[in-house]
Amino acid sequence: MDQTGLAAFLRTRREALQPADVGFPAGHRRRTPGLRREEVAVLCQMSTDYYSRLERGRGPQPSEQMLAAIARGLRLTLDERDHLFVLAGHNAPARATRNDHVNAGMMRILDRLEDTPAQIVTGIGETLVQTRLAVALLGDQTHFAGPERSIIHRWFTDPGERGRYVPEDHATHSRVYVAQLRAVAAREGSGSRADLLAQELRTASPEFAALWAHHEVGVTYTNRKGIIHPELGTISLYCQTLVDPDQAQSLLVFTATPGTEDHDKLQLLSVIGSQRLAT
């Protein structure tokens, strides 16, 4: 671990970020360039003390999970992320098999969607980051571990996962998830995470196994999704997708037509967040 090099790299990356780059208000005039340490700590979801010690060259060796959080918080490119790992005494993650680093450009777009349900997912359905309204609409999908990180896995193994979507859409969701996983498994090859996930689901879910045997590819959703919110009921939303082909990640953005009841429900959701309405 190169503590001095790591500290200098973190400091320069922090100073290169402006509040507007991450969706923060500019606020009063700043005496130093870039973000404050406490702001970076919030972005990285860690304590200010822990981050500050790293930047001062006095912290312990960060784990790979901590480094991934720092890379995401500082909006690092893949090359910068790899350099961060090496400075911290770890091997750089293999890009072909580990794609949980969010592209800096995708993060900049997400930062500007704070008033919109939006989230970034991998090719195998792992949600990497969500806006506040995406959590309010769909629940926190980033806290899962192991195979459960994938919504495809949860869809076929956890009946509760389907309760968020109107029943008439379930069959379409199943077909789309299987087709998506098949495409990723073919692209990444035997032994990849996608291939192992498909193997596990063929054993765990008769429905998945039957759909897998159909060899469907290119199955897509209709232009609207019916989502059931525990407080607001059914909300019919459009889901636009921006794909980052280099990392096989997608930015999902949920919108409603202004002037409709669905749009009004989204506006109310922005007020109540994840709180429950009084009964």
Side-chain angles (χ1 to χ4, degrees):
M1 177 179 173
D2 181 357
Q3 282 191 318
T4 301
L6 176 63
F9 184 66
L10 292 175
R11 185 175 61 257
T12 57
R13 293 304 88 207
R14 173 176 61 81
E15 292 175 349
L17 277 177
Q18 299 303 315
D21 295 333
V22 296
F24 286 167
H28 300 293
R29 183 177 178 181
R30 293 167 180 251
R31 291 178 294 179
T32 57
L35 297 180
R36 302 183 179 95
R37 290 192 180 98
E38 57 267 27
E39 292 172 328
V40 172
V42 170
L43 293 172
C44 299
Q45 298 183 324
M46 60 185 58
S47 72
T48 301
D49 177 68
Y50 181 86
Y51 176 80
S52 297
R53 282 187 290 147
L54 288 178
E55 196 175 292
R56 293 182 177 121
R58 297 199 296 267
Q61 183 182 33
S63 67
E64 292 187 356
Q65 291 77 13
M66 281 291 190
L67 291 172
I70 292 171
R72 187 177 303 161
L74 288 174
R75 306 322 193 232
L76 301 185
T77 66
L78 273 176
D79 288 335
E80 289 171 335
R81 178 206 66 174
D82 291 350
H83 185 60
L84 175 70
F85 271 68
V86 172
L87 288 175
H90 295 280
N91 293 325
R95 299 189 184 187
T97 59
R98 182 170 176 167
N99 61 349
D100 55 355
H101 175 74
V102 180
N103 176 274
M106 298 273 271
M107 282 298 301
R108 283 193 292 271
I109 296 172
L110 193 75
D111 288 334
R112 286 156 175 77
L113 296 173
E114 185 57 33
D115 61 347
T116 303
Q119 56 191 35
I120 296 174
V121 300
T122 69
I124 61 173
E126 298 168 331
T127 302
L128 303 179
V129 60
Q130 298 174 280
T131 63
R132 178 183 64 89
L133 282 189
V135 175
L137 179 67
L138 300 169
D140 183 358
Q141 298 183 353
T142 64
H143 70 280
F144 295 98
E148 288 75 22
R149 287 187 66 197
S150 168
I151 191 174
I152 302 175
H153 185 280
R154 300 196 305 274
W155 183 262
F156 288 100
T157 60
D158 179 5
E161 187 66 38
R162 303 192 181 202
R164 300 185 187 278
Y165 300 92
V166 294
E168 55 267 32
D169 288 350
H170 288 184
T172 299
H173 279 289
S174 295
R175 291 179 59 216
V176 169
Y177 285 147
V178 173
Q180 287 179 345
L181 185 58
R182 178 178 292 282
V184 178
R187 183 171 64 248
E188 296 185 353
S190 177
S192 65
R193 290 197 300 157
D195 179 56
L196 295 176
L197 181 60
Q199 291 182 37
E200 178 177 338
L201 286 173
R202 289 202 299 273
T203 300
S205 169
E207 179 191 7
F208 180 92
L211 290 171
W212 187 265
H214 291 165
H215 289 267
E216 286 189 306
V217 294
V219 183
T220 59
Y221 294 108
T222 62
N223 63 348
R224 293 176 72 86
K225 286 187 177 182
I227 298 173
I228 302 175
H229 188 270
E231 303 296 337
L232 303 178
T234 300
I235 310 176
S236 184
L237 299 174
Y238 294 96
C239 180
Q240 280 79 35
T241 303
L242 175 65
V243 178
D244 173 15
D246 292 336
Q247 296 185 72
Q249 295 174 357
S250 300
L251 171 61
L252 309 181
V253 182
F254 298 90
T255 63
T257 303
T260 64
E261 181 183 359
D262 298 309
H263 185 266
D264 292 341
K265 288 182 177 180
L266 272 189
Q267 295 294 104
L268 181 56
L269 186 66
S270 70
V271 176
I272 67 173
S274 58
Q275 302 176 24
R276 289 192 173 273
L277 293 174
T279 56

